[in-house]
């Protein structure tokens, strides 16, 4: 009778399921390791791409730069002169060329440069008989840029300058509007 042989054949082979189980466990472990490495590489790549593409695009625009405002000899004594210039604005990955202007007053060796942008809401400031005036809401300033009337929250914004080979170079900057303090954008 070979009933016993068949029965013992089934019960005497416990190794087969254990081997299969070990193989499956190894595969699962390898899968976890490979998945972890892949995820790590993906995360590092996403971080790098974000750093060099998205971050600059979301950054604030930069307008601070030194611009040529013309020859010093072309600026008359004691009279405000408006100088137009091209401002390069960097926003994210883009570079844009914007028209800009400043007011220059020369008294002998002393030079004063004002931003022509109104500190109230950004209109372009004009010269007047008493100094400067903004056509939008009638803010006014004296010849030294001190506020004398209207809604402007502060004096006119002065800009740094230097003379190089007879040329007036102005450090063009943009300032926040509508606040009492002079703060760059
Ligand atoms: S924008 Fe100049 S007074 Fe308002």
């Amino acid at each position: 009778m070979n009933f016993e042989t068949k029965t013992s054949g089934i019960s005497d082979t416990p190794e087969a399921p254990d081997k299969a189980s070990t193989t499956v466990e190894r595969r699962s472990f390898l899968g976890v390791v490979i998945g972890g490495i892949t995820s790590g590489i993906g995360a590092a790549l996403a971080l790098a791409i974000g750093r060099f593409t998205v971050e600059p695009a979301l950054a604030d625009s930069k307008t601070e730069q030194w611009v040529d405002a013309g020859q010093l000899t072309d600026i008359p004594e004691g009279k405000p002169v408006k100088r137009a210039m091209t401002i390069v604005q960097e926003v994210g990955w883009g570079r844009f060329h914007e028209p800009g202007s400043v007011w220059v007053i020369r008294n002998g060796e002393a030079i004063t440069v004002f931003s022509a942008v109104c500190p109230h809401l950004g209109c372009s400031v004009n010269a007047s008989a008493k100094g400067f005036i903004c056509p939008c809401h009638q803010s006014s300033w004296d010849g030294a840029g001190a506020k004398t009337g209207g809604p402007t929250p502060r004096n006119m914004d002065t800009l740094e300058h230097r003379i190089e080979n007879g040329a007036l170079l102005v450090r063009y900057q943009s300032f926040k509007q509508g606040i009492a303090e002079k703060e760059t954008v």
Side-chain angles (χ1 to χ4, degrees), residues 11-180:
S11 62
D12 287 347
T13 54
E15 295 88 14
D18 281 351
K19 274 184 185 172
S21 167
T22 308
T23 308
V24 169
E25 278 175 16
R26 277 190 194 140
R27 280 183 189 154
S28 299
F29 175 72
L30 274 175
V32 169
V33 170
I34 291 169
I37 291 170
T38 309
S39 300
I41 292 170
L45 275 173
L47 202 68
I49 290 168
R51 176 104 188 259
F52 293 103
T53 57
V54 180
E55 194 177 288
L58 297 177
D60 287 341
S61 63
K62 292 180 199 162
T63 53
E64 183 178 316
Q65 59 206 271
W66 285 91
V67 287
D68 190 341
Q71 288 296 301
L72 199 57
T73 49
D74 294 340
I75 298 166
E77 187 80 20
K79 185 179 167 211
V81 176
K82 198 172 194 179
R83 289 283 184 222
M85 53 200 54
T86 300
I87 307 301
V88 179
Q89 198 169 16
E90 291 179 14
V91 183
W93 289 108
R95 277 167 74 87
F96 304 92
H97 293 80
E98 299 280 339
S101 56
V102 298
W103 283 102
V104 183
I105 302 175
R106 178 184 176 195
N107 285 306
E109 296 292 301
I111 305 284
T112 307
V113 182
F114 293 116
S115 168
V117 178
C118 179
H120 180 223
L121 292 177
C123 289
S124 189
V125 170
N126 295 330
S128 72
K130 294 180 180 174
F132 300 93
I133 190 160
C134 179
C136 291
H137 311 103
Q138 306 304 305
S139 287
S140 58
W141 303 264
D142 65 18
K147 67 174 185 177
T148 54
T152 180
R154 60 178 187 260
N155 297 337
M156 288 179 71
D157 296 317
T158 51
L159 294 168
E160 281 180 50
H161 69 275
R162 67 172 191 260
I163 310 296
E164 229 175 72
N165 299 323
L168 175 65
L169 301 180
V170 174
R171 186 186 183 207
Y172 192 92
Q173 291 177 290
S174 296
F175 302 98
K176 289 181 183 169
Q177 293 156 11
I179 60 173

